[in-house]
Amino acid sequence: MNPRINHRLILFPHPFQGHMNSTLQLGRILYARGFSITIVHTNFNAPDPTSHPHFAFRSIADGIDQSEASTSDIRGLLALLNVRCAVPFEECLQEMVSSQGGDAAPIACLISDSMFSFTCGVAERLKVRALVLRTGGAAFLYVATIFPVLKEKGYVPVLGSRSEEAVKEFPPLLVKDIPAVDPQKPEVMFRILDNLIEVIKNSFGVIINTFEELEHTDLASLREVLSVPFFPIGPSHKCCVTSSSSSLLVEDRSCISWLDEQPPKSVIYVSFGSLAAMSEAEILEIALGLADSKQPFLWVVRPESVRDPEWPQKSPSCFLEALEGRGKMVKWAPQKEVLAHPAVGAFWTHSGWNSTLESISEGVPMLCMPCFADQGVNARYVSDVWRIGVHLNGGLERENIARAIKRLLVEREGEEIRERALVLKEEASVCVGQGGSSYRALDALVSHILSFK
Ligand code: UDP
């Protein structure tokens, strides 16, 4: 732990789980470098202050009620948060700026999530420097910068289309990897990406949860196109000296003792993150595929991710039999610990960026089933660039699922994928150690912040 320095950082996380995790991890990293940390957060999905006793917390009244908080329309909720948070956030920051001078360390800068479109403007008005935290990968961010070109060339798919057409200007992406627009309101998607790029251009720098060795080419392109400093300090969960949980749901730790009973590298861990939802038919097909795979499985099923509250009692007998010992279901898992467990041999994921990076950090091969947003791009990099996973080809059907799981856990192809994954795991570990690329990026970030005064 570095000596305390007389500088306060204001961190403003986006209230979705993956974003919250990254922001609180960044807070812990910068606290360990001597900064004081204040987390300004929405009431919606508020973090638990008792898990972070060294931070100060200030909540803002976002006015989001239960009916509006549904994650079934994520783009709508993103837009609403940007509308509702702007004024209370400005008032909160204004108050903190005006009350400087007492015992609290002076504000060095604001670090806000890149999905908030108003924060750099607020910071400029209040004469506070603003950095942006990008919780996704560099490849997707680069795709966001070229979105107008993709749109012009007709590459942007509409919801539901699964076009295998190649994006010639950006191999190995396929059209289906690009975020899809709702044909009824295509402007919503375009606005989100435009705002993202604008916020970054208006910032004093971007802290990004990735590492040079993983995304060197896309980071270089971003630096050239956006002309702001980039600080790739990830995988941020591997840089934290302490490991307090930032889960918004209660972790069911019984899965760790269950994993202790399973043979090494035998278990398929299944989780589709904190936002993706499935129909009953899809959930049933997953259950049947897992039963058919004959491999042990640990499956996270969040209560909101399936519409039928009586599931899995209504599931077919072969699945319930599999649950008798070969399978385990939980509502929420301590995911990082699960991925680091020696029994876990593969991760069936929706390819959210945090999940992808957490899997890379433990050398766990991935079965990718991207759902929305950046996930298609992340999954394509996993399967075709880093070659540390496969896509679930042929659709969400029990035979395809069982075949894909065996490919990763039983067949020779799976071993080759694991060997490559272990090389990346080593690189991820080296980069956060003293002198590694992420460690140096963090040094550069600290110097950059200290140069603001
Ligand atoms: N996560 C977890 N327990 C679970 C499922 C997910 O702790 O049972 C965490 C996971 O470790 C990751 C985050 O939730 O940090 C999900 O973020 P990601 O970017 O992968 O997906 P999103 O939820 O944003 O779609």
Side-chain angles (χ1 to χ4, degrees):
M1 182 80 70
N2 287 30
R4 311 308 310 150
I5 46 181
N6 195 29
H7 289 84
R8 172 162 300 272
L9 305 177
I10 312 289
L11 271 59
F12 185 34
H14 201 276
F16 292 161
Q17 177 73 71
H19 295 245
M20 184 67 78
N21 287 357
S22 290
T23 310
L24 293 171
Q25 280 152 13
L26 179 66
R28 290 204 291 279
I29 294 166
L30 292 169
Y31 178 82
R33 289 291 185 119
F35 290 98
S36 301
I37 305 293
T38 297
I39 307 286
V40 175
H41 61 86
T42 53
N43 282 333
F44 165 61
N45 276 352
D48 176 7
T50 60
S51 302
H52 311 276
H54 301 305
F55 299 169
F57 285 83
R58 309 261 313 225
S59 69
I60 57 163
D62 48 64
I64 304 277
D65 65 33
Q66 205 56 39
S67 62
E68 293 167 323
S70 159
T71 48
S72 60
D73 175 14
I74 292 167
R75 290 172 188 173
L77 186 52
L78 270 177
L80 194 64
L81 280 161
N82 268 308
V83 171
R84 296 274 177 83
C85 293
V87 171
F89 175 77
E90 181 152 3
E91 285 168 1
C92 179
L93 190 60
Q94 166 83 70
E95 196 192 314
M96 281 189 283
V97 169
S98 325
S99 62
Q100 288 188 97
D103 289 346
I107 297 168
C109 72
L110 166 72
I111 302 177
S112 65
D113 191 292
S114 60
M115 298 316 289
F116 284 125
S117 54
F118 56 86
T119 47
C120 291
V122 169
E124 197 181 348
R125 281 195 289 284
L126 298 176
K127 306 206 170 3
V128 174
R129 304 282 177 120
L131 293 172
V132 159
L133 171 62
R134 177 66 197 154
T135 62
F140 178 76
L141 188 56
Y142 185 62
V143 167
T145 67
I146 60 164
F147 220 71
V149 179
L150 297 176
K151 186 176 154 191
E152 191 191 304
K153 301 216 164 177
Y155 285 129
V156 178
V158 292
L159 284 175
S161 108
R162 306 289 302 151
S163 168
E164 301 273 336
E165 185 194 347
V167 180
K168 285 201 289 303
E169 289 77 359
F170 198 151
L173 290 190
L174 306 181
V175 165
K176 67 179 182 182
D177 305 329
I178 307 284
V181 294
D182 178 345
Q184 306 302 319
K185 34 186 178 176
E187 69 292 346
V188 174
M189 180 70 189
F190 298 133
R191 198 176 315 122
I192 290 174
L193 296 178
D194 277 356
N195 285 346
L196 170 64
I197 300 306
E198 267 318 287
V199 161
I200 286 179
K201 282 184 178 161
N202 290 330
S203 75
F204 281 83
V206 182
I207 305 163
I208 183 163
N209 190 13
T210 186
F211 55 105
E212 283 287 350
E213 290 76 357
L214 188 69
E215 297 201 277
H216 177 71
T217 309
D218 289 307
L219 281 165
S221 306
L222 286 170
R223 287 181 174 114
E224 198 180 315
V225 178
L226 296 173
S227 307
V228 288
F230 271 76
F231 303 95
I233 57 139
S236 58
H237 69 287
K238 287 289 177 186
C239 312
C240 295
V241 270
T242 53
S243 66
S244 47
S245 167
S246 42
S247 264
L248 299 166
L249 295 170
V250 178
E251 293 173 346
D252 182 344
R253 297 196 52 81
S254 68
C255 59
I256 300 295
S257 42
W258 180 84
L259 284 172
D260 290 342
E261 305 296 312
Q262 309 305 318
K265 307 267 171 279
S266 66
V267 174
I268 176 96
Y269 169 57
V270 186
S271 166
F272 306 118
S274 61
L275 300 169
M278 309 261 156
S279 69
E280 263 176 72
E282 287 171 323
I283 292 274
L284 191 62
E285 214 54 36
I286 294 174
L288 291 169
L290 289 171
D292 277 6
S293 77
K294 309 282 182 235
Q295 290 295 132
F297 61 87
L298 169 60
W299 184 11
V300 177
V301 184
R302 280 179 300 112
E304 316 82 66
S305 70
V306 49
R307 279 172 214 113
D308 186 351
E310 285 182 28
W311 201 89
Q313 287 80 354
K314 282 181 17 194
S315 340
S317 57
C318 63
F319 179 67
L320 295 178
E321 275 159 31
L323 274 185
E324 289 295 302
R326 189 162 59 76
K328 168 101 178 148
M329 287 174 68
V330 292
K331 291 182 178 153
W332 193 249
Q335 179 164 302
K336 293 189 265 301
E337 213 175 320
V338 166
L339 289 169
H341 196 286
V344 172
F347 180 14
W348 182 5
T349 171
H350 69 311
S351 302
W353 183 249
N354 289 285
S355 295
T356 302
L357 211 48
E358 289 161 13
S359 203
I360 287 173
S361 304
E362 302 305 337
V364 177
M366 283 170 262
L367 172 57
C368 302
M369 190 176 74
C371 300
F372 52 81
D374 60 341
Q375 297 161 11
V377 173
N378 300 340
R380 185 61 54 199
Y381 270 59
V382 166
S383 64
D384 291 34
V385 178
W386 307 315
R387 298 170 60 229
I388 53 169
V390 294
H391 271 82
L392 179 69
N393 289 324
L396 189 60
E397 279 159 24
R398 65 190 286 183
E399 298 81 15
N400 298 330
I401 296 167
R403 199 176 312 120
I405 292 174
K406 286 192 187 127
R407 247 174 107 186
L408 285 179
L409 286 176
V410 181
E411 290 168 15
R412 172 81 195 128
E413 184 189 5
E415 276 172 46
E416 289 166 6
I417 290 175
R418 179 164 305 108
E419 280 161 23
R420 285 192 289 273
L422 288 173
V423 172
L424 261 191
K425 172 187 175 173
E426 178 60 17
E427 288 181 0
S429 161
V430 169
C431 77
V432 296
Q434 198 155 11
S437 63
S438 297
Y439 190 94
R440 283 182 276 119
L442 187 57
D443 281 344
L445 171 65
V446 171
S447 307
H448 187 57
I449 293 173
L450 294 178
S451 76
F452 291 160
K453 283 281 151 184

